């Protein structure tokens, strides 16, 4: 069987699995956990009074779903930004170490700098020359 045929069959299977429950339970009402919890509490204790009331109630379920999705998108944006930042920092530190290693390897065989390269007269100790009157 060709790869395209396999992928097409898998796609049809996934679509069927996603929409079959919606089709089979089309007369059902899909309530969220908050609604189901408040229903369960009211059946257990009819006199129950909530401790707090919401500051603002969204005008419709669509707005509520949109705000929930927006909150999830912002949260995942922060998480994946942080993961990308850490990965980039790790990659940058690896490349900086490689450059530093390359610089050390290439400069190992060079002679000490001259006064012209250094810009000012070099201290005698840095070029490997000691003065005779410094000897004990």
């Amino acid at each position: 069987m060709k790869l395209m045929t396999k992928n097409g069959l898998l796609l049809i299977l996934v679509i069927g699995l996603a929409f079959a429950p919606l089709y089979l339970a089309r007369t059902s009402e899909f309530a969220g956990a908050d609604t189901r919890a408040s229903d369960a509490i009211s059946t257990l204790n009819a006199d129950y009074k909530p401790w707090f009331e919401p500051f603002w109630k969204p005008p419709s379920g669509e707005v509520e779903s949109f705000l929930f999705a927006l909150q999830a998108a912002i949260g995942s944006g922060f998480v994946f930004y942080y993961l990308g930042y850490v990965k980039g920092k790790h990659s940058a530190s690896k490349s900086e170490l490689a450059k530093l290693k390359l610089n050390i390897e290439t400069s190992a065989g060079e002679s000490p700098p001259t006064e012209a390269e250094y810009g000012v007269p070099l201290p005698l100790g840095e070029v490997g020359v000691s003065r005779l009157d410094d000897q004990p």
Side-chain angles (χ1 to χ4, degrees), residues 56 89 97 110:
W56 175 73
K89 189 175 178 183
L97 285 174
E110 294 179 0

Side-chain angles (χ1 to χ4, degrees), residues 62-130:
E62 290 83 12
V63 173
E64 188 175 355
S65 295
F66 168 73
L67 292 174
F68 181 75
L70 181 65
Q71 177 186 353
I74 291 171
S76 64
F78 278 116
V79 167
F80 288 112
Y81 172 79
Y82 176 75
L83 291 175
Y85 175 77
V86 169
K87 172 76 171 144
K89 189 175 178 183
H90 179 71
S91 297
S93 66
K94 276 183 138 179
S95 65
E96 287 175 9
L97 285 174
K99 286 179 186 176
L100 181 62
K101 183 179 177 186
L102 182 63
N103 287 342
I104 290 172
E105 288 174 352
T106 56
S107 64
E110 294 179 0
S111 61
T114 62
E115 288 182 11
E117 293 172 346
Y118 199 67
V120 293
L122 291 171
L124 294 176
E126 285 193 29
V127 291
V129 177
S130 60

Side-chain angles (χ1 to χ4, degrees), residues 18-67:
F19 287 105
L22 297 174
Y23 179 75
L24 294 174
R26 61 182 171 264
T27 58
S28 300
E29 184 175 327
F30 294 99
D34 294 342
T35 306
R36 296 187 72 180
S38 63
D39 291 344
I41 290 170
S42 65
T43 58
L44 293 174
N45 185 2
D47 297 331
Y48 177 78
K49 300 276 185 199
W51 293 0
F52 300 102
E53 292 295 323
F55 295 118
W56 175 73
K57 187 166 171 102
S60 69
E62 290 83 12
V63 173
E64 188 175 355
S65 295
F66 168 73
L67 292 174

